[in-house]
Amino acid sequence: MSVAPDTLHQTMRTTGGDMPSQGTVLAALTVVMPPHDGADEQVDWDAVRRAWGVCFPSDYIAFMSTYGAGGIDGALSVVLPEASMQPADSPDLGGMAAETANMRHMWESEGGPGEVDAGPDSVVAWGVSCGADILGWLTVDHDPNKWPVVVWERHGRPYWKIYDCGMAEFLRRLFAKGFDECPLSDASLWGEPSPHFVHWREERRRWESGVDPYTGEPDPYFGMKLGLRT
């Protein structure tokens, strides 16, 4: 995999600025979006690295330790890293393998970012929006902390956009309107001052108790859902 450095640098410069330091990014994010207790995701990072053949960015690893995988106000999901590149057959949460497969399929069928001389295997997904956008990394640098965020925006023109930051900084900028325009098809989180993150296990527990995980209000379809399960 290769990329023209000057072209990629110019592309990223138009979407935000210089890549921020990884050391303070997560701390800044937790100020805006506090994690809830017990959200730590126990991940075997050695197994994940062996499966994917790469190390992962330090902010994503720290995000999993602080938040875990889960949803943000029902508008965006940060997916679970898996020790397999094969999509899991699970109804609970779309994982990294499934969303990466979707993202690579979009690249194969529609072409990737015009500025990037690389193939579909150069993207790895870390999130998906309620507007069916897929968020990932462009893994063209040997240092994962230098991977920019790449978004396949379902309703975007062009579909592909590259952002000069890691995933944690991308989220912080999304909440702070820190881009020239909303980077997602759905603007629910654009400029959101108090986003709420809910770990996927807690989200499932709340749904199963008849409560909307994000509003705390009773789920009007609770009985109907139970009926469908039985």
Side-chain angles (χ1 to χ4, degrees), residues 207 210 219-230:
W207 280 126
D219 176 11
Y221 302 106
F222 177 58
M224 296 172 60
K225 290 176 181 177
L226 287 180
L228 289 173
R229 289 173 183 164
T230 60

Side-chain angles (χ1 to χ4, degrees), residues 16-198:
D18 297 328
M19 184 80 82
S21 167
Q22 296 291 328
T24 58
V25 167
L26 194 72
L29 182 62
T30 58
V31 172
V32 179
M33 185 176 69
H36 61 78
D37 292 340
D40 179 16
E41 197 76 62
Q42 300 298 318
V43 177
D44 184 342
W45 289 107
D46 286 338
V48 172
R49 176 184 54 79
R50 288 194 299 270
W52 291 85
V54 294
C55 294
F56 283 81
S58 59
D59 65 331
Y60 178 69
I61 293 173
F63 188 98
M64 285 295 136
S65 295
T66 304
Y67 294 94
I72 304 172
D73 286 333
L76 190 151
S77 294
V78 178
V79 299
L80 186 70
E82 299 158 312
S84 172
M85 293 182 66
Q86 296 299 317
D89 183 16
S90 171
D92 294 324
L93 182 73
M96 179 177 285
E99 295 305 336
T100 296
N102 290 335
M103 198 174 210
R104 292 177 178 181
H105 172 73
M106 294 303 176
W107 188 307
E108 290 172 347
S109 61
E110 301 173 357
E115 317 79 14
V116 178
D117 180 19
D121 60 345
S122 65
V123 291
V124 174
W126 58 261
V128 60
S129 80
C130 65
D133 309 314
I134 308 174
L135 301 83
W137 299 284
L138 186 62
T139 65
V140 294
D141 198 292
H142 292 298
D143 182 354
N145 288 330
K146 294 181 180 179
W147 292 349
V149 167
V150 59
V151 176
W152 182 81
E153 188 182 352
R154 183 177 185 181
H155 300 295
R157 296 295 184 273
Y159 289 117
W160 296 94
K161 296 184 179 69
I162 301 170
Y163 297 90
D164 58 327
C165 56
M167 60 84 65
E169 176 66 5
F170 178 91
L171 293 176
R172 190 196 66 79
R173 290 189 193 180
L174 174 66
F175 304 146
K177 286 190 173 181
F179 299 109
D180 293 338
E181 60 184 12
C182 181
L184 303 177
S185 297
D186 178 85
S188 299
L189 297 175
W190 180 237
E192 172 54 58
S194 301
H196 296 89
F197 180 89
V198 179

Side-chain angles (χ1 to χ4, degrees), residues 187-223:
S188 299
L189 297 175
W190 180 237
E192 172 54 58
S194 301
H196 296 89
F197 180 89
V198 179
H199 189 274
W200 68 273
R201 291 190 184 90
E202 176 63 14
E203 182 182 47
R204 182 173 63 181
R205 185 194 68 78
R206 293 180 187 180
W207 280 126
E208 291 178 349
S209 67
V211 175
D212 185 292
Y214 301 98
T215 67
E217 298 294 325
D219 176 11
Y221 302 106
F222 177 58

